[in-house]
Amino acid sequence: MWDNLPHVHDNAEVFNVMDAAGHRVLARPKYRPQDGPIEYVFNQLQRELSKIIHTIANEHEFVQAITTIITNITGASIDATFVHCGYA
């Protein structure tokens, strides 16, 4: 698997060498930071935090809130995010 680095990973000669060696080439989608999986996870974290921020009185409660939100993000949700971003 490789990214779409221009003039390197889109080079037909490189692809042919890899193919001749029996490797299967999987190109990742072009990098767009706004569409990276972590951005969606951060967005989910911010959404959930904004619902309860008015109840948080100190740093300890803030850390607890973040921990609870992250703990409740499911593997299925993360998998769906990677699929949505083109990584699976």
Side-chain angles (χ1 to χ4, degrees):
M1 181 181 285
W2 62 30
D3 60 15
N4 288 305
L5 182 64
H7 309 297
V8 176
H9 294 158
D10 60 355
N11 183 304
E13 185 176 346
V14 172
F15 179 83
N16 290 337
V17 168
M18 300 276 294
D19 190 50
H23 299 287
R24 183 173 154 211
V25 177
L26 299 173
R28 291 177 44 197
K30 292 192 183 295
Y31 179 69
R32 291 179 39 149
Q34 67 272 27
D35 289 337
I38 194 64
E39 298 304 323
Y40 287 92
V41 173
F42 284 148
N43 190 2
Q44 184 176 357
L45 176 62
Q46 287 178 313
R47 263 194 330 269
E48 295 302 317
L49 188 57
S50 71
K51 295 176 186 176
I52 60 169
I53 195 73
H54 65 281
T55 67
I56 297 172
N58 56 51
E59 183 179 346
H60 177 72
E61 290 178 3
F62 180 76
V63 170
Q64 283 184 316
I66 295 292
T67 302
T68 299
I69 293 167
I70 291 172
T71 302
N72 289 330
I73 297 175
T74 65
S77 173
I78 292 173
D79 289 347
T81 299
F82 274 83
V83 169
H84 173 77
C85 293
Y87 288 92

